[in-house]
Amino acid sequence: MATEKPTGLYAAAALSITLVSYLLLSSQASRLLPRRNSPHRNPSTKPKKRRGLIDAIGNTPLIRINSLCEATGCEILGKAEFLNPGGSVKDRVAVKIIEEALKSGALVEGGVVTEGSAGSTAISIATVAPAYGCKCHVVIPDDAAAEKAQIIEALGAIVERVRPVSITHTDHFVNVARRRALEANESAAKSKLGETFEIKNNGRSKDYSKGGFFADQFENLANFRAHYEGTGPEIWEQTEGNLDAFVAAAGTGGTVAGVSRYIKEKNPNVKCFLIDPPGSGLFNRVTRGVMYTKEEAEGRRLKNPFDTITEGIGINRLTKNFLMAELDGAYRGTDKEAVEMSRYLLKNDGLFLGSSSAMNCVGAVRAAEALGPGHTIVTILCDSGMRHLSKFYNAQYLAAVGLTPTSTGLEFLLRH
């Protein structure tokens, strides 16, 4: 009689061998692979400390402006600074100014940063200051776009409006801002002595007992350093050093100075140009070595040389920041060209840009015309059109000053 094979026993043995092999392989693999329950593969490496809003400033994209590239035969690239948290290139400056002031002890946490600004820098300081535990007090000319003052107030800063006057006047918005910082420091000194010193604005009292610091964006070289250490290197890396020209307008001069100097140090053959709006003397300074034309020098200058709708750019004095620039030449741009360029870019590229950004694009096309096809030109898209609705994008306002856009293409600009 045949003996029955213990198939059940064989199956159990085979299952046991398989299970042991799996456990041995798993054990070896666990020694080779990193532990999954550790958040860092290298326990000695400490995670980088995050700084909240500040970490979102800078490293903006460099975008191709397709319509201008097709029209000129050049690669025209715009540094999209309107994507910074505060909406403009001035975020970089606000961070640098405040950080250097805190490091030096000129500003302490809880103190107030004061600034005289036509808008963008004020918005940036009002955005950035709370991230450092500081307050913001802005003095602004009352002819600046209304929405700028509204934004600054919405950000929690004190806004003080003054009439536009010459920089030599004691009540120029920059000089008033300087006084407010001094008053805040006087308040801090009296507070330490147990005395009170109230600062009132529009009937409201402010506690400035921690003192103040005047940002002084025009003369404070932290402005230049923000672009020499940040914007310039970013442009160089994003283009991999393959650029032929850089062009931008100047207000304080920090951007054009910081970027031009950095790029020139990397490659002296890259051309750097200024684009200057109506009423500004910088074009004359770069091209002729003087600030004024012959007629202006003879005393026939306009009473208000800044009768222009391009806010934040153009100036009739040399700032410490602008003096750091390394420029090969300069171009003139007009209000009409800036308005037409803004509408052209909105229609053809979907770019909704502010007045200074539009003027910079005028300069980029000027440079493309001068250099010829096949070159790469970089400019700065400083801010968006969002804070220019009451003037630069207001049809009624433009009609009243004779600047209604009428062009269908670039015929307003291109010369043959």
Side-chain angles (χ1 to χ4, degrees), residues 43 60 197 263 317 345 361 386:
T60 53
F197 182 88
I263 289 176
R317 72 181 193 275
L345 295 175
C361 290
M386 294 295 185

Side-chain angles (χ1 to χ4, degrees), residues 114-116 139 172-182 214:
T114 73
E115 183 58 300
V139 185
H172 184 275
F173 59 92
V174 170
N175 297 327
V176 174
R178 182 183 287 106
R179 284 204 303 275
R180 296 296 176 258
L182 293 173
F214 176 46

Side-chain angles (χ1 to χ4, degrees), residues 186-416:
E186 184 178 351
S187 173
K190 288 185 176 295
S191 179
K192 289 179 181 179
L193 297 174
E195 301 177 20
T196 58
F197 182 88
E198 285 190 339
I199 297 177
K200 292 186 177 181
N201 182 61
N202 296 330
R204 292 182 294 170
S205 296
K206 296 298 297 182
D207 176 17
Y208 289 164
S209 60
K210 294 291 185 180
F213 174 78
F214 176 46
D216 197 12
Q217 60 167 328
F218 288 88
E219 306 300 333
N220 188 338
L221 288 178
N223 183 347
F224 159 79
R225 287 188 286 272
H227 300 292
Y228 178 80
E229 298 172 8
T231 319
E234 288 175 28
I235 290 173
W236 185 259
E237 291 173 9
Q238 288 170 322
T239 59
E240 297 181 337
N242 297 315
L243 75 160
D244 300 291
F246 170 75
V247 58
T252 64
T255 304
V256 73
V259 174
S260 66
R261 182 169 286 263
Y262 180 85
I263 289 176
K264 285 287 193 180
E265 288 179 3
K266 300 298 288 188
N267 182 359
N269 294 322
V270 177
K271 301 298 183 183
C272 295
F273 301 105
L274 172 79
I275 177 72
D276 212 29
S280 175
L282 296 180
F283 171 83
N284 293 323
R285 171 70 183 192
V286 174
T287 59
R288 300 176 59 248
V290 296
M291 289 293 287
Y292 313 118
T293 65
K294 181 180 178 181
E295 291 77 16
E296 290 172 335
E298 291 174 353
R300 292 196 290 270
R301 295 183 64 213
L302 297 174
K303 182 178 180 181
N304 181 11
F306 294 99
D307 188 15
T308 173
I309 62 169
T310 55
E311 294 183 356
I313 55 175
I315 193 171
N316 266 330
R317 72 181 193 275
L318 294 175
T319 67
K320 289 181 181 179
N321 284 288
F322 185 80
L323 288 172
M324 299 297 289
E326 294 192 11
L327 299 171
D328 296 286
Y331 304 113
R332 273 289 191 199
T334 67
D335 281 345
K336 179 68 170 175
E337 289 170 332
V339 171
E340 294 282 10
M341 178 63 79
S342 68
R343 274 54 174 189
Y344 178 85
L345 295 175
L346 183 58
K347 177 182 177 181
N348 293 280
D349 299 270
L351 288 171
F352 183 40
L353 302 176
S355 58
S356 57
S357 301
M359 186 65 80
N360 282 349
C361 290
V362 170
V365 175
R366 290 269 197 277
E369 289 182 295
L371 298 177
H375 293 88
T376 298
I377 300 160
V378 175
T379 191
I380 304 293
L381 306 182
C382 314
D383 66 359
S384 77
M386 294 295 185
R387 58 187 63 168
H388 297 268
L389 299 177
S390 64
K391 293 177 69 176
F392 194 67
Y393 282 96
N394 185 318
Q396 290 181 329
Y397 176 84
L398 293 179
V401 294
L403 293 174
T404 299
T406 57
S407 299
T408 57
L410 282 175
E411 68 270 14
F412 67 92
L413 188 61
L414 292 174
R415 301 185 179 94
H416 302 284

Side-chain angles (χ1 to χ4, degrees), residues 60-98:
T60 53
L62 190 64
I63 63 177
R64 185 178 192 266
I65 306 178
N66 293 330
S67 67
L68 300 185
C69 295
E70 293 165 5
T72 63
C74 289
E75 283 293 294
I76 295 182
L77 311 175
K79 189 81 163 117
E81 291 297 294
F82 57 84
L83 295 178
N84 281 308
S88 83
V89 65
K90 295 297 186 178
D91 281 14
R92 298 174 183 267
V93 178
V95 166
K96 193 66 173 174
I97 286 175
I98 292 175

Side-chain angles (χ1 to χ4, degrees), residues 154-167:
L155 289 168
I158 285 292
V159 176
E160 185 174 351
R161 297 171 180 82
V162 298
R163 63 187 180 90
V165 292
S166 167
I167 185 65

